[in-house]
Amino acid sequence: MRYKNIFNLGIAISLLTCSPFIGAQSQGKLKIGFMLPATGTYAALGTAIDNGFRLYVNEQGGKIGGREIEYVRVDDESDPSKAADNVNKLIKRDNVDVIVGSVHSGVAMAMAKAAKESGTLLIVPNAGAVAVTGPMCAPNIFRSSFSNWQPGFAMGEVAAKKGHKKIVTITWKYAAGEETMKGFKDGFEKSGGSVIKDLTLPFPNVEFQALLTEIASLKPDAVFTFFAGAGAAKFVKDYAAAGLKKSIPLYGSGFLTDGVLDAEGVDAEGILTTLHYADNLNNKRDQSFRLAYAKTFKLQPDVYAVQGYDAAQMLAIGLSATQGDAKNITTFAQALMKSKIDSPRGTFTLSSSHNPVQDIYLRKVIGKENVNEGVASKALADPGLGCKM
Ligand code: BEZ
């Protein structure tokens, strides 16, 4: 009898020590600091990211890397001037294990600086700031979304193939707009096209009228634009109301029409954009993701929801390898670098600067969908200029 008890105790001890998540249990809850906009022109984008992230976590039974999750949320208002304070509160006051954010490139750059200095794990679920996976890159910084350059470059090549020669660009004057336009020029001008004028207005200004009048007088072959969220909806409506839609084709990076088609209505019909997601990809992963998202949130998902879902998925891949330890950056990064991430957008890998290498789709608005018209750029990688790990 005594031997039997000792034997059972031995089995219990060896089961416990062999459990992959034994370390995870002793570490307690994983504190995730969400720094996303809950107000302002990008508010809906923040909500979709938050939804997508929680959907993935719930599919895993509420745990990542064997640890239950505690969320701490900050509304960053898409305001770069408040970003350093906001992120430092999450890192220093709330002692989060991981930070997730943000939507706005200027806010994300402040987050990347703080993450680099503190060594805290950062996953960027939208903001495309080139610097984050360029000069500011670091072993503990990852992106589940795109760089601003990627959709711009893909559309530059599409516009050149369509035979356009003279293009006017219009966008908000901050990193996302400027870097998207740089990508567009890189793709467009190598084939002999030229951008004859770059029009800008400050973020998040939506007084487009004077600039639309200027476009009419410049008479370009086409217009290329970056706007997103509520600002994108207003731009698409104003462009049509100014009578330009009939005479000057409007192209955009896909944020122009993603998540905003209800607000844009018929004014968006037929617009061509480039992005790493579309509404009818019909791969198995996407089908189950779209069903689950619609059932849970009574909403159709968009690119932002996909990026949130994949941010959680990337965190899970890394933390499974470290048994829930968010400080073991080397093992976390190694696991992600050798993974193919099974995203609703199609599988993607990470570049050496930790940015997705992914297909960029050409999409056309038909009714309430951004319909896939084929791959515009296969496995497109951001150049990652200036990144030294
Ligand atoms: C950005 O600021 O990087 C951004 C914002 C909204 C959509 C896409 C990019």
Side-chain angles (χ1 to χ4, degrees):
M1 185 64 183
R2 214 172 131 231
Y3 285 122
K4 200 175 159 202
N5 285 344
I6 289 172
F7 179 70
N8 286 345
L9 185 66
I11 291 178
I13 289 171
S14 58
L15 277 176
L16 273 174
T17 49
C18 287
S19 164
F21 292 128
I22 180 65
Q25 278 153 21
S26 59
Q27 292 166 76
K29 286 191 176 174
L30 181 76
K31 255 188 161 184
I32 300 183
F34 269 158
M35 196 165 140
L36 293 166
T39 50
T41 197
Y42 288 161
L45 289 55
T47 304
I49 290 169
D50 193 321
N51 288 347
F53 193 100
R54 283 180 298 114
L55 178 64
Y56 183 82
V57 172
N58 293 344
E59 287 174 358
Q60 313 311 306
K63 289 187 181 177
I64 287 199
R67 297 173 70 178
E68 281 178 11
I69 310 289
E70 180 182 338
Y71 297 104
V72 184
R73 290 185 171 81
V74 171
D75 173 8
D76 68 37
E77 303 167 51
S78 296
D79 185 346
S81 73
K82 297 181 182 161
D85 275 355
N86 281 333
V87 71
N88 283 320
K89 269 185 218 148
L90 286 174
I91 294 172
K92 294 183 183 146
R93 183 193 66 190
D94 301 322
N95 251 311
V96 298
D97 298 295
V98 183
I99 37 181
V100 175
S102 184
V103 168
H104 185 289
S105 277
V107 173
M109 283 193 270
M111 295 181 77
K113 183 169 182 288
K116 203 170 166 139
E117 284 165 8
S118 65
T120 312
L121 202 49
L122 165 64
I123 302 191
V124 179
N126 182 69
V130 164
V132 167
T133 52
M136 302 179 86
C137 77
N140 57 317
I141 299 177
F142 299 85
R143 186 148 48 196
S144 67
S145 52
F146 61 93
S147 82
N148 292 320
W149 182 89
Q150 286 174 303
F153 180 80
M155 186 48 100
E157 289 192 328
V158 170
K161 278 192 201 124
K162 285 190 176 296
H164 297 309
K165 295 282 179 245
K166 289 187 314 172
I167 295 241
V168 168
T169 70
I170 176 166
T171 189
W172 280 313
K173 191 165 179 51
Y174 82 101
E178 290 167 340
E179 292 169 359
T180 306
M181 298 312 141
K182 158 86 169 74
F184 180 82
K185 273 184 207 164
D186 287 352
F188 183 58
E189 295 192 335
K190 70 182 162 112
S191 308
S194 92
V195 171
I196 57 167
K197 185 104 194 198
D198 289 307
L199 300 171
T200 59
L201 70 172
F203 174 85
N205 192 325
V206 289
E207 296 311 317
F208 300 119
Q209 211 46 58
L211 298 178
L212 292 173
T213 306
E214 196 171 344
I215 289 173
S217 69
L218 288 165
K219 295 192 178 56
D221 298 342
V223 168
F224 175 69
T225 185
F226 163 85
F227 290 109
K234 169 98 171 28
F235 182 77
V236 164
K237 294 201 85 57
D238 286 4
Y239 195 83
L244 294 175
K245 192 174 174 217
K246 304 190 283 297
S247 49
I248 307 175
L250 174 64
Y251 301 114
S253 81
F255 308 104
L256 185 68
T257 56
D258 226 274
V260 281
L261 285 177
D262 282 338
E264 291 173 353
V266 292
D267 292 336
E269 189 69 21
I271 292 180
L272 291 175
T273 63
T274 40
L275 204 61
H276 47 287
Y277 190 58
D279 287 320
N280 64 333
L281 291 180
N282 280 332
N283 65 61
K284 269 204 168 146
R285 184 63 153 166
D286 191 42
Q287 280 167 349
S288 59
F289 165 76
R290 292 183 77 89
L291 252 163
Y293 192 93
K295 202 167 152 205
T296 311
F297 303 109
K298 314 283 175 263
L299 281 172
Q300 287 306 312
D302 54 23
V303 69
Y304 309 105
V306 171
Q307 295 167 170
Y309 189 81
D310 290 339
Q313 202 175 170
M314 286 167 60
L315 191 59
I317 292 169
L319 290 186
S320 296
T322 66
Q323 298 175 16
D325 181 1
K327 295 213 162 29
N328 185 351
I329 300 296
T330 307
T331 305
F332 184 99
Q334 277 167 354
L336 273 175
M337 293 305 287
K338 62 176 193 242
S339 288
K340 267 195 174 163
I341 294 141
D342 186 14
S343 166
R345 75 189 82 171
T347 53
F348 69 89
T349 54
L350 291 181
S351 67
S352 56
S353 60
H354 298 175
N355 190 64
V357 178
Q358 56 194 342
D359 292 348
I360 307 291
Y361 304 99
L362 175 64
R363 308 114 44 89
K364 182 178 191 171
V365 176
I366 302 178
K368 287 291 161 63
E369 288 198 327
N370 287 288
V371 174
N372 177 20
E373 298 265 294
V375 173
S377 277
K378 185 88 197 137
L380 185 64
D382 180 90
L385 296 178
C387 170
K388 291 192 194 77
M389 289 272 183

